């Protein structure tokens, strides 16, 4: 290869490299950038998880299992069993699995609702 060919080859390579660099600008990532990305990713995952676990509503799920009702009402298995035994809360049992209707739970909560009383008298 002669000097002219080497020179032309070098010009071609430089031109190609410049074209690639102009299309894809280089971004240098730092550890701070990665740390910030990690924090944002975890925040988004937490938001998705909390949204999905708190989305118990008639639109998303009408019939709830015992564990879901216990979590929703913050009660123990025996307390829920006592409500079933006393026929306070309606339920259905299918193949050993107990289901509760969302609307029955809402109705139970409304029926047992106590009006709020102000602590202080307003003048």
């Amino acid at each position: 290869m002669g000097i002219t060919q080497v020179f032309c080859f070098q010009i071609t390579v430089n031109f190609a490299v410049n074209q690639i660099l102009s299309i894809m600008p280089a971004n240098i990532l730092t550890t701070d950038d990665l740390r910030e990305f990690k924090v944002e990713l975890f925040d988004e995952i937490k938001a998705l998880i909390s949204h999905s676990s708190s989305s118990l509503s008639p639109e998303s799920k009408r019939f709830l299992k015992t564990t879901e009702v216990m979590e929703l009402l913050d009660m123990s298995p025996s307390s829920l069993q006592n409500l079933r035994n006393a026929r306070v809360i309606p339920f259905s049992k299918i193949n050993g699995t107990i289901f509760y209707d969302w609307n029955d739970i809402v109705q139970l909560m409304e029926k047992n609702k106590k009006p709020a009383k102000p602590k202080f008298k307003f003048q």
Side-chain angles (χ1 to χ4, degrees):
M1 212 190 285
I3 274 193
T4 347
Q5 291 174 329
V6 171
F7 184 70
C8 287
F9 179 73
Q10 187 176 2
I11 290 174
T12 307
V13 169
N14 286 342
F15 178 76
V17 168
N18 287 336
Q19 289 297 317
I20 291 171
L21 289 178
S22 68
I23 293 172
M24 298 183 334
N27 288 331
I28 298 174
L29 292 176
T30 64
T31 55
D32 289 338
D33 293 333
L34 292 174
R35 198 171 290 117
E36 184 179 332
F37 173 73
K38 179 181 82 170
V39 169
E40 289 175 8
L41 183 63
F42 278 133
D43 289 343
E44 287 184 33
I45 291 172
K46 286 177 189 176
L48 287 172
I49 291 172
S50 68
H51 177 66
S52 68
S53 66
S54 67
S55 65
L56 291 176
S57 66
E59 296 84 29
S60 66
K61 194 169 183 181
R62 181 169 173 201
F63 295 101
L64 307 172
K65 292 183 178 180
T66 301
T67 54
E68 295 167 324
V69 174
M70 288 185 328
E71 183 179 321
L72 185 67
L73 299 178
D74 192 29
M75 62 174 44
S76 67
S78 58
S79 296
L80 191 55
Q81 176 71 45
N82 290 338
L83 291 176
R84 282 197 312 265
N85 292 344
R87 301 289 186 204
V88 173
I89 186 167
F91 65 95
S92 300
K93 188 172 184 179
I94 301 171
N95 289 336
T97 303
I98 298 173
F99 295 96
Y100 303 86
D101 190 331
W102 170 268
N103 297 327
D104 291 336
I105 294 170
V106 170
Q107 195 174 33
L108 176 68
M109 296 297 288
E110 290 292 329
K111 188 172 83 174
N112 290 298
K113 190 183 221 179
K114 306 287 186 222
K117 294 181 186 176
K119 288 188 174 185
F120 303 104
K121 292 184 181 180
F122 296 103
Q123 296 176 1

